[in-house]
Amino acid sequence: MSKLSSVKRFMRSRSGRGFLLHLGVCAILSAGVGYGFHYFSLNWFVEHKSGEKIIALRLVDAFVTNYSAIRSQFGQNAPVPASFRAHAIEAFNKRAPDNSDFRLRSVGRPGREIVTPPTDARMAEVIEAFAATPNPKAVSELLDINGEQMFRTVYPTVAQEQSCVSCHNSLQPGKAQWHLNDVMGAFAIDVPVSPFLRTVMWQSSGIGVGLFLALALAGLIISLIHFRQLEALNAGAAELDRTQNFLDTIIENMPVSIAVKDARDQCYVLFNRTAEAIFGMVRGDLIGKHVDDPSNKEVADALFPRGGEASHTGDLQVIDEHVVDTHHNGKRVLATKNLSIADEIGEPRYLLSVSEDITERKQAEARIEHLAHHDTLTDLPNRAAFSEHLARVIEMARRGGESFAVLSLDLDRFKEVNDVFGHAVGDDLLCEFSRMLRELAGDAFLARLGGDEFVLITPNGDQPALAEAIARGLLEAVATDLEINGQHLRVGISIGVAIFPDDGADATTLLNNADAALYRAKTAGRGTTRFFEVEMDNRLRERRAIQHELSSAIARNELHLYYQPQAKIGGEVIGFEALIRWNNPQRGMVSPATFIPIAEESGLIMHVGEWVLREACREAASWPQPLQIAVNLSPIQFRHGDLVALVHSVLLETGLAPVRLELEITEGVLVEDFARGLSILRRLKALGVRIAMDDFGTGYSSLSYLQAFPFDKIKIDQSFISNLKSNPQSAAIVCAVVGLARGLNLPVLAEGVETRAQLDFLAAESCDEVQGYLVGRPHPIAEYSKLIGRLDTIDEKMRSA
């Protein structure tokens, strides 16, 4: 198929058309050569054959003449010349075959012949013409005799000897007498021409065809060579066109402005589509015009900024940024590169200008820069901006010997707003609070570090008086309710203040000390201002030391589990609660109330909680008695990691039956993220473990939690149990919780039962379970070997030994 396509392309090309014309010329030329060969061969035949025959006839005639002259020498009986000639020719013809190409005749004049008359009228006419012509010459011609082509030569016989005349007269006594020099007849030779013509025809045809084929082949070779050259030229031209179109398309659609002007006549040569869009021009109005045209002067300056310098130096000129005022799109920021393009002798020929519109990029960079240093919610400077500003302020204050203050601000009860009204209201509260702080801050630098934590850097001035005045103004400003989305919210702020350089000569120390003062302000009851004191620093250092030591407590085997019994109201022990203890080599026994909050703040509670869960389950799985084991979970464990996977793996690893494990949670698990907390609780419940609500009554005690999730137990906080006799409200709350649980068919466990009176009160209210010093104090599990059944097993082993 490809070959056929190539043939079609060849025949349609100029080379193919030329080849066809060449074939026509070759055919004409070959036909002419063949015809010429035929013609000249025939002429050659006529000339040479007639010459040969005439010579032969002359020889015959001379022989007869000589014979006539010497006939007398042969006696009276010698044949007369005429009869001798006739008989000799007849004998010759008899010996020649029928297809002989030589037929000789001796004929007389018509009507006066001796033996042989003319064979046809044409021969008679020729002989008579000889008689009528003085000095007749032999005649040769082509004739068609009886449908056969013949070449005939007729040679006149003239009576040149008297003996010959006398002989003829004696042979024809009754006819007209012959005289000397009379034409007595002729010799005629007929040669068939058809074989020669056929040979000549084949030869001329062969020569014509051979010449045609040779010339056609030569023409074909030349045409093919020309065709291939044309194909190569066409392919090169097509490739050049494609390249040109490609370059035109690329230049036209490049997202940068491309402009070219002639360096010699200073006329515009090229603009692409982007140049039109950026500069608001129509290229047709500019191409071919001079750059100094007053109507286009502004466009020229914008297209080729500092173009003269680029033309003069010949180097690439880079303009990182320049602003162009466009009529249709305002001010645009461009980055331009100018390049002078030289001609073949090195002289400037064109000036190329490539401009990129970087307006959006610069705006985006500005936005990114702003976002990198500002809070997305309140648009206040963020922690990074605060750190940079604080570093600059410290440096300037250090050089000038001045003082300033850092105020660390924290919203009071902000978490309650989020929990009660939702995060959307909480975000609106932060925005409104930020707006108010910005108005009150004046010349002070205000930043939001995250959550509800703000920080303010006062101007240089008289400290701590200036810091105290600003703090007092802030406290007074938030003393009234804030209206957020129709809700009247009352929030306060706690403020911690650190003074440079007295409370810190570097940024880290200064901010840490302000945070320490804030921590003291919140501890003192919130809504207050506290300045940093040395004691705060000591307490802060103590907390950091505890955090550092706690991080390696597990590895050093300093953590231990104590177990406190849980019993039915009637006294039957049904399980234990695992309680963590830390025996530090330097500090001794560290209270959980001290290190648990630190562990939660620092994130160490994840490792500590996992260790407690694994150790408690391992221990409970070894008890002969299948008592329950209760383990406390921190809300932090619900926010980070995969708690469900951890519990599942621990149960598989220790072999503890899931029904024996009771996980105690506080309301904080559901308050912080209700949907996530509820999902995790349901997945834990699906493992088969029990879920207990711990410290019920101390927080929100939302009944929706009990409705949303089927808890297995409610634990009343020990603060209510310890005040049963002294505080009627505590007794009422306990009664209400027990009644509520009974209505929900939930077991209730009262914590902190230390007296018989408390136990009797709970029994009267039908409380299900109790836990406290009255039942048993927290001790290592070895103290309760009998309860778990381990002592009997040891005695049996001793007896068997």
Side-chain angles (χ1 to χ4, degrees):
M1 200 69 179
S2 60
K3 292 183 178 179
L4 181 60
S5 177
S6 299
V7 172
K8 289 182 178 179
R9 288 203 317 275
F10 171 72
M11 297 308 297
R12 293 172 181 173
S13 66
R14 287 184 296 169
S15 300
R17 293 194 296 271
F19 176 66
L20 293 177
L21 179 61
H22 173 75
L23 289 181
V25 173
C26 290
I28 295 173
L29 180 61
S30 300
V33 170
Y35 176 77
F37 177 80
H38 181 272
Y39 175 78
F40 287 112
S41 296
L42 190 59
N43 284 345
W44 174 87
F45 180 85
V46 170
E47 292 176 1
H48 287 76
K49 287 293 183 181
S50 63
E52 292 174 359
K53 303 313 185 227
I54 291 171
I55 291 171
L57 293 177
R58 284 176 178 174
L59 291 175
V60 172
D61 191 33
F63 174 77
V64 173
T65 301
N66 291 333
Y67 173 76
S68 175
I70 63 173
R71 173 176 176 273
S72 60
Q73 298 177 12
F74 295 100
Q76 292 297 324
N77 295 324
V80 296
S83 62
F84 173 79
R85 180 176 55 194
H87 291 299
I89 291 174
E90 183 179 359
F92 171 78
N93 286 333
K94 287 180 178 181
R95 289 194 300 269
D98 294 337
N99 58 353
S100 173
D101 62 350
F102 187 81
R103 299 175 185 176
L104 178 61
R105 291 182 181 86
S106 176
V107 296
R109 289 180 63 183
R112 299 180 65 185
E113 64 272 3
I114 301 173
V115 178
T116 307
T119 60
D120 51 62
R122 177 57 184 164
M123 185 181 296
E125 291 176 3
V126 172
I127 295 172
E128 286 302 313
F130 287 161
T133 303
N135 299 321
K137 303 294 183 183
V139 175
S140 296
E141 58 183 341
L142 290 172
L143 299 174
D144 186 354
I145 300 175
N146 298 324
E148 183 180 5
Q149 287 286 326
M150 288 289 182
F151 177 68
R152 172 176 292 173
T153 299
V154 181
Y155 180 80
T157 57
V158 180
Q160 295 178 353
E161 296 291 338
Q162 184 62 44
S163 60
C164 185
V165 173
S166 299
C167 180
H168 277 74
N169 287 330
S170 63
L171 293 175
Q172 298 175 324
K175 296 182 180 180
Q177 294 296 299
W178 297 99
H179 299 91
L180 192 65
N181 294 322
D182 283 345
V183 175
M184 303 175 66
F187 289 111
I189 298 177
D190 286 339
V191 178
V193 182
S194 296
F196 175 76
L197 290 178
R198 284 194 297 271
T199 301
V200 171
M201 181 63 70
W202 280 109
Q203 289 176 347
S204 60
S205 299
I207 291 173
V209 171
L211 179 62
F212 175 79
L213 292 177
L215 293 176
L217 179 59
L220 178 61
I221 294 174
I222 295 173
S223 299
L224 288 176
I225 293 174
H226 184 257
F227 174 69
R228 290 175 181 173
Q229 292 175 343
L230 286 179
E231 287 269 280
L233 290 175
N234 292 336
E239 182 64 25
L240 185 61
D241 290 341
R242 284 194 296 270
T243 302
Q244 183 65 41
N245 293 333
F246 172 76
L247 291 177
D248 292 342
T249 303
I250 292 299
I251 291 174
E252 181 67 12
N253 293 280
M254 285 186 70
V256 294
S257 166
I258 297 179
V260 179
K261 69 176 181 179
D262 194 311
R264 297 174 182 172
D265 57 16
Q266 295 296 304
C267 290
Y268 297 113
V269 176
L270 181 146
F271 299 104
N272 69 345
R273 185 183 304 167
T274 305
E276 289 185 308
I278 291 178
F279 298 102
M281 64 178 187
V282 178
R283 72 185 84 181
D285 298 338
L286 291 177
I287 291 180
K289 293 187 177 180
H290 199 276
V291 295
D292 293 332
D293 190 334
S295 61
N296 302 314
K297 182 62 176 173
E298 293 182 4
V299 176
D301 294 338
L303 281 171
F304 300 95
R306 294 161 52 187
E309 179 181 341
S311 298
H312 178 71
T313 61
D315 298 328
L316 177 65
Q317 182 187 57
V318 179
I319 305 174
D320 293 330
E321 291 183 25
H322 64 101
V323 179
V324 175
D325 192 1
T326 63
H327 297 291
H328 70 297
N329 205 15
K331 293 184 180 297
R332 310 299 294 178
V333 182
L334 304 181
T336 299
K337 294 181 180 179
N338 293 327
L339 178 63
S340 177
I341 302 175
D343 58 14
E344 60 275 3
I345 62 174
E347 294 295 326
R349 185 67 182 91
Y350 299 104
L351 180 63
L352 169 66
S353 178
V354 180
S355 299
E356 180 182 4
D357 189 346
I358 60 173
T359 306
E360 284 74 16
R361 188 178 76 191
K362 298 298 292 184
Q363 293 173 351
E365 290 176 354
R367 287 194 298 271
I368 293 173
E369 179 69 16
H370 182 81
L371 291 174
H373 292 84
H374 288 78
D375 175 55
T376 55
L377 179 64
T378 63
D379 203 38
L380 289 176
N382 58 13
R383 185 180 294 273
F386 165 75
S387 299
E388 294 177 3
H389 184 78
L390 180 59
R392 290 194 299 268
V393 171
I394 290 175
E395 183 63 25
M396 289 187 296
R398 184 179 291 117
R399 288 199 302 264
E402 297 181 350
S403 178
F404 65 91
V406 175
L407 280 65
S408 184
L409 315 176
D410 191 83
L411 274 175
D412 298 332
R413 294 181 294 277
F414 176 70
K415 183 176 180 300
E416 297 177 11
V417 173
N418 266 341
D419 294 339
V420 175
F421 298 103
H423 290 283
V425 174
D427 290 344
D428 292 339
L429 173 61
L430 288 175
C431 293
E432 179 63 22
F433 183 68
S434 300
R435 183 195 61 77
M436 183 177 62
L437 287 179
R438 193 182 291 110
E439 293 177 356
L440 296 172
D443 295 334
F445 180 84
L446 177 65
R448 181 191 177 202
L449 301 187
D452 59 345
E453 183 181 358
F454 297 82
V455 66
L456 186 145
I457 302 176
T458 68
N460 293 331
D462 184 21
Q463 302 296 346
L466 179 58
E468 186 175 1
I470 293 176
R472 184 168 56 252
L474 294 175
L475 290 174
E476 291 174 356
V478 298
T480 57
D481 291 353
L482 296 177
E483 184 176 351
I484 307 296
N485 296 336
Q487 301 287 342
H488 291 274
L489 306 177
R490 171 162 294 184
V491 294
I493 58 172
S494 298
I495 305 175
V497 184
I499 308 298
F500 175 86
D502 298 338
D503 298 334
D506 60 83
T508 301
T509 303
L510 199 60
L511 185 59
N512 288 340
N513 290 341
D515 288 339
L518 175 63
Y519 181 78
R520 183 184 173 197
K522 295 179 76 69
T523 305
R526 301 179 181 180
T528 59
T529 301
R530 290 292 183 270
F531 285 79
F532 176 76
E533 298 174 359
V534 178
E535 292 79 7
M536 296 181 188
D537 185 49
N538 293 335
R539 286 194 293 270
L540 183 61
R541 293 177 183 274
E542 179 68 12
R543 288 176 59 85
R544 291 174 180 169
I546 292 175
Q547 177 181 333
H548 176 72
E549 294 170 6
L550 181 61
S551 63
S552 58
I554 297 177
R556 295 197 302 266
N557 295 320
E558 295 176 4
L559 298 181
H560 306 282
L561 289 184
Y562 280 26
Y563 297 86
Q564 186 173 24
Q566 296 176 338
K568 292 286 189 182
I569 196 70
E572 178 188 358
V573 174
I574 58 174
F576 293 86
E577 180 179 1
L579 303 172
I580 189 170
R581 297 292 183 266
W582 181 18
N583 186 9
N584 186 276
Q586 287 78 32
R587 304 175 186 275
M589 295 297 293
V590 182
S591 171
T594 300
F595 71 82
I596 290 298
I598 296 176
E600 290 183 328
E601 291 177 7
S602 63
L604 290 173
I605 193 65
M606 298 297 296
H607 301 288
V608 173
E610 180 179 346
W611 179 85
V612 171
L613 178 64
R614 180 172 280 103
E615 184 65 18
C617 291
R618 183 194 61 78
E619 176 61 39
S622 66
W623 297 343
Q625 294 294 333
L627 302 179
Q628 292 182 354
I629 181 69
V631 178
N632 290 280
L633 296 179
S634 169
I636 307 299
Q637 292 176 274
F638 280 77
R639 292 200 297 266
H640 305 284
D642 192 343
L643 179 61
V644 178
L646 174 63
V647 172
H648 189 210
S649 65
V650 168
L651 290 174
L652 293 176
E653 177 185 331
T654 60
L656 181 68
V659 72
R660 294 179 57 195
L661 176 62
E662 184 173 273
L663 300 177
E664 298 183 359
I665 68 165
T666 61
E667 293 176 346
V669 170
L670 297 174
V671 168
E672 294 182 359
D673 190 341
F674 180 78
R676 176 180 171 84
L678 187 61
S679 174
I680 294 176
L681 288 177
R682 287 173 176 169
R683 292 167 60 196
L684 290 172
K685 184 82 170 178
L687 294 178
V689 301
R690 297 166 57 83
I691 307 296
M693 173 69 78
D694 196 12
D695 298 337
F696 190 79
T698 58
Y700 298 102
S701 300
S702 175
L703 299 182
S704 62
Y705 299 154
L706 300 179
Q707 183 182 15
F709 183 78
F711 287 94
D712 297 292
K713 185 184 295 184
I714 296 177
K715 296 184 71 175
I716 301 176
D717 188 70
Q718 60 183 354
S719 61
F720 298 107
I721 304 302
S722 61
N723 295 325
L724 282 177
K725 293 299 184 182
S726 60
N727 191 336
Q729 287 83 4
S730 296
I733 291 174
V734 171
C735 292
V737 171
V738 173
L740 174 65
R742 187 183 304 112
L744 297 175
N745 197 27
L746 287 177
V748 178
L749 185 146
E751 295 182 303
V753 178
E754 300 180 354
T755 65
R756 187 70 190 181
Q758 294 171 347
L759 181 63
D760 292 341
F761 178 86
L762 294 170
E765 294 298 327
S766 300
C767 181
D768 300 285
E769 301 170 6
V770 292
Q771 177 181 345
Y773 288 173
L774 184 63
V775 179
R777 293 176 176 271
H779 287 295
I781 196 62
E783 298 291 332
Y784 298 109
S785 296
K786 187 173 183 179
L787 289 178
I788 63 176
R790 189 170 292 166
L791 184 62
D792 295 340
T793 304
I794 295 175
D795 292 341
E796 290 177 2
K797 289 183 178 179
M798 291 179 63
R799 285 196 296 271
S800 64

